[in-house]
Amino acid sequence: MSQNQPTMPVRGQEQPIRYGDVFAVSGSLAGEAIFPRDAAMMQSAENRVLGQTLQGGAASGMESAATWNEQRGLVAHEQFSDTPGRQEVSVTQTDIPGCPGQRVVTEFVAGQAVGQYFFNTAAGGGADEGGGVAVEMWIDKVSIEEALEAAATTAGDKPVDASDAAAIQAAEATATGVNAVTPGGVAAAAQAAAAANALKDRDEEKIKLGEVVADASVWMAIDKEATREDAERVVAAEMRNNPELRAHPGGVGASMVAAARPNQER
């Protein structure tokens, strides 16, 4: 899903860009025009929570849309949209358990999520330094297979090991309700990859996490939305099978946590 690139509506008569043209939102918010004051409120929220305006964040997209609207005389500079004005905008950040320095930032307009980003502060890429990686704009509730596929973005170059395989198996089991590894499933592929990698010395020759989970939706026959309990189970499995008893930054467990938190809030 693309984010923060307003789609100019094609209508018989020029009308302002609305929230539904830019973000996957619903209800009355989708039909409301984006005003300059809306963008200013989001920018203020980003600065207050993160200490800066996110490059490519929600405020940036709202500002582009609001500027387009104002330049065409479709909105006034000092006005703001009704629903965001009453229900406000907000930015939250959540530490990922077992992953020091890892956090997820979620942005909301009138209670609806319009952007979500993963930050690795341990690697010097925190929000304060402008190093955020936009995982995806998760607007609808995120499923387990989608969380697995997100790990291909955040840790796709990591060689698959036993902790990854255990985490993937736990994720598959929570989705299917079956504790046994499904033949031909994503957990089976992860276990095979981990076993093959254990026999190789050079990382460049090993099977990477992205190769296993990038198409998780194809491998998994049954899926469900990720919950906090699911995320805890996956993180625990990953940590138990890691010699350092920790989850990999941006890995399977971290992606599950990142998916479960906004699901719980919606």
Side-chain angles (χ1 to χ4, degrees):
M1 180 184 301
S2 63
Q3 62 182 31
N4 305 323
Q5 296 296 324
T7 301
M8 304 310 174
V10 178
R11 302 182 175 99
Q13 181 179 356
E14 192 169 56
Q15 296 185 28
I17 299 174
R18 306 175 190 279
Y19 279 94
D21 297 320
V22 182
F23 305 112
V25 294
S26 59
S28 62
L29 178 63
E32 294 195 27
I34 301 178
F35 285 80
R37 286 286 297 276
D38 300 5
M41 286 192 297
M42 180 60 79
Q43 184 176 6
S44 176
E46 289 182 354
N47 287 330
R48 183 171 60 254
V49 175
L50 306 174
Q52 66 165 359
T53 301
L54 282 178
Q55 182 178 1
S60 176
M62 291 167 65
E63 184 177 6
S64 296
T67 299
W68 190 91
N69 289 343
E70 185 179 7
Q71 288 176 345
R72 286 154 181 77
L74 303 173
V75 300
H77 183 73
E78 295 300 324
Q79 287 183 299
F80 50 81
S81 298
D82 182 56
T83 301
R86 287 185 290 104
Q87 300 184 33
E88 302 184 342
V89 302
S90 62
V91 178
T92 65
Q93 54 181 337
T94 305
D95 293 331
I96 300 177
C99 301
Q102 310 303 303
R103 55 179 166 156
V104 174
V105 172
T106 308
E107 300 188 276
F108 298 89
V109 174
Q112 298 192 49
V114 294
Q116 188 170 74
Y117 314 89
F118 170 81
F119 289 96
N120 181 0
T121 58
D128 296 340
E129 291 79 30
V133 177
V135 177
E136 186 176 359
M137 248 187 10
W138 283 334
I139 305 303
D140 299 322
K141 289 197 173 184
V142 188
S143 70
I144 289 176
E145 65 183 25
E146 288 172 327
L148 289 176
E149 290 176 348
T153 300
T154 56
D157 292 332
K158 179 188 183 298
V160 179
D161 60 21
S163 66
D164 300 316
I168 293 170
Q169 180 181 351
E172 183 182 73
T174 60
T176 62
V178 179
N179 287 326
V181 175
T182 303
V186 65
Q191 289 183 347
N197 286 349
L199 302 176
K200 300 176 181 178
D201 295 324
R202 302 173 59 189
D203 281 354
E204 56 266 31
E205 296 177 349
K206 296 181 179 181
I207 301 169
K208 305 301 190 293
L209 183 62
E211 299 177 65
V212 174
V213 299
D215 296 318
S217 58
V218 177
W219 296 87
M220 293 175 62
I222 303 175
D223 194 20
K224 65 183 286 289
E225 69 182 51
T227 67
R228 183 181 64 182
E229 291 75 17
D230 298 336
E232 290 174 350
R233 177 179 179 181
V234 172
V235 169
E238 184 174 347
M239 294 176 66
R240 281 197 307 269
N241 289 273
N242 186 303
E244 300 178 359
L245 297 178
R246 66 181 182 87
H248 184 79
V252 175
S255 293
M256 284 288 293
V257 172
R261 171 60 189 272
N263 280 355
Q264 184 178 2
E265 292 178 344
R266 287 172 201 145

